[in-house]
Amino acid sequence: MTRHYSALALFKEGVAGQTGWEKAWRSPDPKPRYDAIVIGGGGHGLATAYYLARNHGVTNVALLEKGWIGGGNTGRNTTVVRSNYFYPESAAIYGLAHSLYKTLSKDLNYNAMFSARGIVTLAHSEAGMETAARTVNAIQANGIDCELFSVEDVRRVVPIYNFGPDARYPVYGGTWQPSGGTARHDAVAWGYARAASRLGVDIIQNCEISGFIIENGRCRGVVTSRGEIRAERTGMAVAGHSSVLAAKAGFRLPVNSYALQACVSEPVKPIIDTVVISPDTGVYVSQSDKGELVIGGALDRIPSYGQRGNLPVLEGVIAGMLDMFPIFGQLKMMRQWAGIVDVVPDSSPIIGESPLPGLFLNCGWGTGGFKAIPAGGTLLAHLLATGSHHDISRPFDLDRFPRGRLIDEAAGSGITH
């Protein structure tokens, strides 16, 4: 069976009628006991399982997913990858993710389609430019690449923007991260799944968690639709459903779940080769490799688990996009969806041990989950393998709330939280 993807392997399989490929990942029945359990088959869960095996040699791992791999937020986002956040703690965690994305295809032997096409965040007023200058200074001090753009710079990078005298949102300039870009969401999930499986991880789909095994005040495993599964350490990476599972474990999280909508247009020829974010309109736009315009916006303001969102918010997103790019007015929209994001009061993630010993958390990424997948997986794997924090994850522990050590990145999200 052909396991390694390469041009030579593709040629050989073409000659052989494509009959020799092995399955991308195994789908075994669950065993009664593992060294570690990871709940959640999205990007963060899959990355956690992979880095447990690769970085720590812990291969007796069960990855449990109630549906199918990548069927949650990982398959319902706008694929943006960037690290231009304000605070040093955020720069460290998103910078780690960004650096890992750059070599992810090689590391996983799977094309994650990372494209460093640059990201421009627009400023629409003089006050906005003052904020942009302050932001650029902070980001540069954190060691992250970022530049202050003038209106002429924006015009050079995004010539199709509405620069007319009657523009509702005139451009004064903005910030620019040249190394930012996009990656293919499905490819990231499938690449991690394939690599983790090859290292011995059991990927178990259609396995819903109904409760936790708690003995002597410690989590000893989970109760699932496929029976009890035990492990001394369990990691949870379930995004918008974190508070649901926390309730099953007997504690509350400072998390609210909202629908975050996005949509794509019909495919067109290349017209925009960067990612454009407008905090004022609450809209961000890029173009996929297939030619579709990928359009995202702000959160629905009502907590919800509905994966379609509501029409008024979508109308606002489209209206903002047309204010920015009137040239898109004749495009037909092809599909729309919503992901369920977990928003924390300071808009920064929660990584650390939960109030139930033996159960570790990776949640609260809000609108930043996809761009953080490699870092979230690396840090949760470190916690599960060692029982202690990595230096980068320590500031994001739950104890920052009673200590008052918040990392308020609401502005860094680039859209309204």
Side-chain angles (χ1 to χ4, degrees), residues 40-61:
H44 283 265
L46 291 164
T48 299
Y50 168 70
Y51 291 118
L52 266 171
R54 196 196 76 169
N55 294 353
H56 303 281
V58 183
T59 58
N60 185 28
V61 177

Side-chain angles (χ1 to χ4, degrees), residues 135-148:
T135 299
V136 167
N137 289 338
I139 293 171
Q140 289 179 346
N142 292 334
I144 303 296
D145 62 311
C146 192
E147 304 172 25
L148 185 65

Side-chain angles (χ1 to χ4, degrees), residues 238-293:
V238 296
H241 289 82
S242 298
S243 55
V244 175
L245 283 189
K248 294 181 186 295
F251 60 89
R252 294 181 62 187
L253 286 173
V255 168
N256 286 316
S257 296
Y258 298 93
L260 177 64
Q261 295 190 59
C263 54
V264 296
S265 73
E266 61 184 323
V268 294
K269 291 182 178 181
I271 193 171
I272 182 170
D273 61 357
T274 188
V275 181
V276 181
I277 302 174
S278 170
D280 286 29
T281 66
V283 174
Y284 42 103
V285 183
S286 64
Q287 189 169 17
S288 75
D289 292 335
K290 293 190 295 183
E292 303 162 344
L293 292 173

Side-chain angles (χ1 to χ4, degrees), residues 275-342:
V275 181
V276 181
I277 302 174
S278 170
D280 286 29
T281 66
V283 174
Y284 42 103
V285 183
S286 64
Q287 189 169 17
S288 75
D289 292 335
K290 293 190 295 183
E292 303 162 344
L293 292 173
V294 184
I295 306 157
L299 301 176
D300 289 20
R301 298 312 304 169
I302 300 172
S304 171
Y305 292 102
Q307 290 185 316
R308 291 193 63 84
N310 64 64
L311 185 58
V313 172
L314 182 62
E315 289 176 332
V317 171
I318 298 299
M321 184 266 291
L322 292 179
D323 282 328
M324 297 164 63
F325 301 101
I327 193 174
F328 295 160
Q330 299 303 310
L331 284 176
K332 295 181 174 64
M333 303 314 297
M334 193 160 62
R335 60 185 180 275
Q336 169 272 345
W337 64 89
I340 308 305
V341 297
D342 47 341

Side-chain angles (χ1 to χ4, degrees), residues 327-388:
I327 193 174
F328 295 160
Q330 299 303 310
L331 284 176
K332 295 181 174 64
M333 303 314 297
M334 193 160 62
R335 60 185 180 275
Q336 169 272 345
W337 64 89
I340 308 305
V341 297
D342 47 341
V343 178
V344 177
D346 64 352
S347 298
S348 287
I350 297 171
I351 303 175
E353 191 166 21
S354 78
L356 175 62
L359 177 62
F360 296 84
L361 303 172
N362 172 349
C363 64
W365 292 97
T367 60
F370 179 77
K371 65 177 70 73
I373 283 173
T378 297
L379 299 174
L380 183 56
H382 186 277
L383 279 162
L384 289 170
T386 68
S388 60

Side-chain angles (χ1 to χ4, degrees), residues 84-95:
N84 53 344
Y85 280 73
F86 190 86
Y87 290 100
E89 298 89 344
S90 303
I93 199 167
Y94 288 102

Side-chain angles (χ1 to χ4, degrees), residues 54-130:
R54 196 196 76 169
N55 294 353
H56 303 281
V58 183
T59 58
N60 185 28
V61 177
L63 185 286
L64 310 181
E65 166 55 44
K66 73 173 182 178
W68 64 91
I69 295 300
N73 282 0
T74 302
R76 294 172 172 271
N77 63 79
T78 51
T79 74
V80 175
V81 176
R82 60 185 177 89
S83 57
N84 53 344
Y85 280 73
F86 190 86
Y87 290 100
E89 298 89 344
S90 303
I93 199 167
Y94 288 102
L96 172 63
H98 198 170
S99 66
L100 290 171
Y101 261 120
K102 293 175 183 177
T103 61
L104 194 61
S105 296
K106 181 179 179 181
D107 295 341
L108 301 182
N109 183 225
Y110 199 96
N111 186 9
M113 300 174 66
F114 174 68
S115 170
R117 60 187 64 185
I119 295 177
V120 59
T121 303
L122 301 175
H124 298 287
S125 65
E126 291 183 2
M129 280 300 292
E130 291 179 4

